[in-house]
Amino acid sequence: MIQYRVLKENEIDRELFRDFTRHQTVTKCWRRENGKWLIKDAPFTDDWSEEDYQFLVQCLKDTARTGGFVYAAFREGKLKGFAAVLPEIFGGEHRYLDLAAIHVSEDMRKQGIGTRLFLAAKEWARKKGARKLYISAHSAVESQAFYRQMGCVEAELCNQSHVEKEPFDCQLEARL
């Protein structure tokens, strides 16, 4: 059975991720060429280094400390998924809140955890006064299929800092 709950800043540390496997073997990705989205061969393995985990821990702690939303899924007391939403609304009339992270451990994918985390993030953002959730999403075909299943569409307004940081990401939004 999976338990879900909000994480507080003092609970977030490297040890929390001891049983979390961030691994994805990617073969195909969406790429925008001449104004059209195409599926292209783009094989690579996405796996976090120790530096990546340390950076993630700091980002999640900052999100919790500043009033954002860090929500987690646990199985037998072990972290198996999490989502984080930043607390600042942006984008003028679009009233976006940024879904900064959503990940499910490799051993627990395709069991509905991502859906529950995403829906909780949407609900929290709605209660905070946002109109849309903004997602700078991995372009892997599998990742994009998840976001489309969640009702995401191409963002009406792109957050340039996300585009510059991750130029291959797909900029999406989900109405709340």
Side-chain angles (χ1 to χ4, degrees):
M1 185 165 144
I2 307 298
Q3 293 86 34
Y4 296 87
R5 66 180 177 83
V6 171
L7 290 179
K8 295 177 176 47
E9 179 185 5
N10 66 347
E11 297 178 276
I12 303 167
D13 59 19
R14 178 60 179 97
E15 181 62 20
L16 180 66
F17 293 90
R18 183 170 35 102
D19 297 300
F20 188 91
T21 306
R22 172 58 180 129
H23 179 268
Q24 184 176 0
T25 301
V26 176
T27 57
K28 297 186 180 293
C29 290
W30 285 95
R31 295 290 186 256
R32 190 177 190 100
E33 292 183 5
N34 301 319
K36 293 183 179 181
W37 286 102
L38 306 169
I39 296 175
K40 297 286 206 169
D41 289 329
F44 68 96
T45 300
D46 195 0
D47 209 351
W48 287 341
S49 67
E50 184 58 33
E51 271 184 5
D52 293 330
Y53 276 105
Q54 293 295 342
F55 182 73
L56 171 67
V57 165
Q58 192 56 54
C59 289
L60 293 176
K61 286 174 91 64
D62 290 346
T63 299
R65 181 179 40 75
T66 59
F69 182 64
V70 181
Y71 194 65
F74 292 87
R75 180 172 173 230
E76 297 174 2
K78 297 174 182 170
L79 180 71
K80 293 299 175 181
F82 64 95
V85 181
L86 301 180
E88 303 86 22
I89 289 178
F90 69 95
E93 67 185 31
H94 294 282
R95 296 192 56 80
Y96 288 119
L97 275 177
D98 195 341
L99 179 69
I102 184 167
H103 296 282
V104 175
S105 186
E106 184 178 39
D107 58 312
M108 296 297 292
R109 293 183 189 145
K110 305 237 183 263
Q111 297 185 40
I113 294 171
T115 298
R116 286 275 304 265
L117 294 170
F118 191 85
L119 293 175
K122 282 179 66 173
E123 180 63 14
W124 184 86
R126 186 188 63 73
K127 287 180 179 176
K128 288 293 181 183
R131 291 182 58 222
K132 301 175 184 179
L133 204 55
Y134 187 91
I135 307 105
S136 182
H138 198 293
S139 63
V141 167
E142 299 83 1
S143 299
Q144 287 300 303
F146 167 77
Y147 289 113
R148 298 299 174 177
Q149 183 182 356
M150 295 294 99
C152 296
V153 296
E154 195 168 348
E156 290 181 32
L157 176 72
C158 287
N159 182 320
Q160 281 310 121
S161 66
H162 283 306
V163 174
E164 290 167 12
K165 189 170 25 169
E166 293 288 347
F168 291 120
D169 275 8
C170 299
Q171 306 305 308
L172 306 174
E173 67 181 34
R175 288 197 176 276
L176 306 180

